Structures are given as C-alpha cells and as structure tokens.
Amino acid sequence: MKIGLRLFAVAAAAVVCLLAAGCGSNKGGEIEANYDGWMLTHWKDGTALAGSVYLQLGEGGTFTLYQSIGTFGYARFSGTYTLGNEPGTGQVLSGSYADGTPWDSSYAVEKMTKRELRLRALKDGIVSVYAGVEIPASVKDGVTAGQLRRAAQLRSFL
C-alpha cells in the first residue's frame, strides 16, 4: 500500500511539474520555455471567446484563474485542485474556489504536454484546450475597470 502511495505521489508530482512549469528536457529541437501557466485557446468545438482566460496550477495543489470575459481587465480567482485517477476515465482534475464553492465540473485530462493541455468536462463533455504560456504580468496584476474608475476618482480629488 505504501509503495502504491509513493508511486502515486511521484506521478502526481510529475504531472504538476508538467502543468505548472512546463519542465522537462529540450527534445526535438524545441525551445525550452519558461511557462508558468496555460491560456485557453479553444473550447466547445471552437466557440469564440469574448475575452481570455489564463490558468495557473501550483505545485502545492493551489490554482489561480485569471479571467477577462466580456469585461475590461482580469478577475482573479483562486482555490485548490486535485489530480487523481478514476476507473474508466483516467486522470481527472477537480477543484474548489477559495470560498469552498466546487468547480462546475471535474475534467478528464485528455492530453497533457509541455505545450498543450486538453480537458473534457465530465458534466457536459465540453472540451477546453489550453496552450502553455508565460502569463503576462499585466494579467497577474488583475487591473479591472472598477479599479481604474476608483483611481481616476482619487486623482480628480488631488
């Protein structure tokens, strides 16, 4: 039993390494990248997004989601995730937000490389495709329209 747990821990650590940092050797002449997250590139059979989404999965089982859908700036959401195996499904990514709200769905990991992450929602089968990226500092700063309005209001009083 302990050996099985150790093997799972090693496998989980390797998966997190791939997800969070895109670590590994430089194979096939690919340029080694300093990826720290993922950018959603396709979802729901290519449905266009009115914005962008970045996902960062940390080594300690924490995640950060940066989302700008139909708004100016990025909203930042965080919480915890788990990556486990389910019989008949394979690797499954699940999580909950910092306030304890579970994700809308768990996701079967269909493909995971240094450059691509493909997730299929177990709830409705929608596939999301993420590309490995270095998340821009401007996204991580999380500037929102509300913050810009408040800053402008403060400047008008000075």
Side-chain angles (χ1 to χ4, degrees):
M1 180 69 168
K2 287 184 181 182
I3 292 173
L5 290 176
R6 283 188 205 141
L7 290 176
F8 176 74
V10 169
V15 166
V16 168
C17 183
L18 283 170
L19 289 173
C23 61
S25 62
N26 185 356
K27 294 182 181 177
E30 290 182 10
I31 297 172
E32 192 69 28
N34 293 320
Y35 298 149
D36 66 351
W38 303 91
M39 182 179 75
L40 182 63
T41 58
H42 296 88
W43 77 289
K44 200 175 184 178
D45 298 324
T47 301
L49 290 174
S52 57
V53 175
Y54 291 89
L55 173 63
Q56 193 170 37
L57 298 172
E59 290 182 26
T62 60
F63 77 89
T64 306
L65 179 72
Y66 303 94
Q67 180 175 298
S68 178
I69 304 287
T71 63
F72 177 80
Y74 286 85
R76 181 181 182 269
F77 303 94
S78 61
T80 59
Y81 74 92
T82 59
L83 187 63
N85 282 315
E86 287 189 15
T89 304
Q91 287 187 318
V92 174
L93 181 65
S94 301
S96 60
Y97 295 96
D99 68 359
T101 304
W103 291 353
D104 187 47
S105 179
S106 292
Y107 299 88
V109 179
E110 291 188 342
K111 181 177 182 182
M112 184 176 7
T113 67
K114 186 166 73 170
R115 298 189 182 271
E116 183 179 359
L117 173 64
R118 180 183 291 270
L119 303 173
R120 180 179 39 82
L122 297 180
K123 178 180 175 182
D124 54 19
I126 292 176
V127 174
S128 303
V129 180
Y130 292 82
V133 297
E134 183 173 352
I135 300 174
S138 60
V139 171
K140 290 179 181 179
D141 291 343
V143 176
T144 64
Q147 289 171 325
L148 291 176
R149 278 193 300 276
R150 285 190 296 279
Q153 288 170 348
L154 287 174
R155 278 190 224 122
S156 67
F157 292 114
L158 297 177

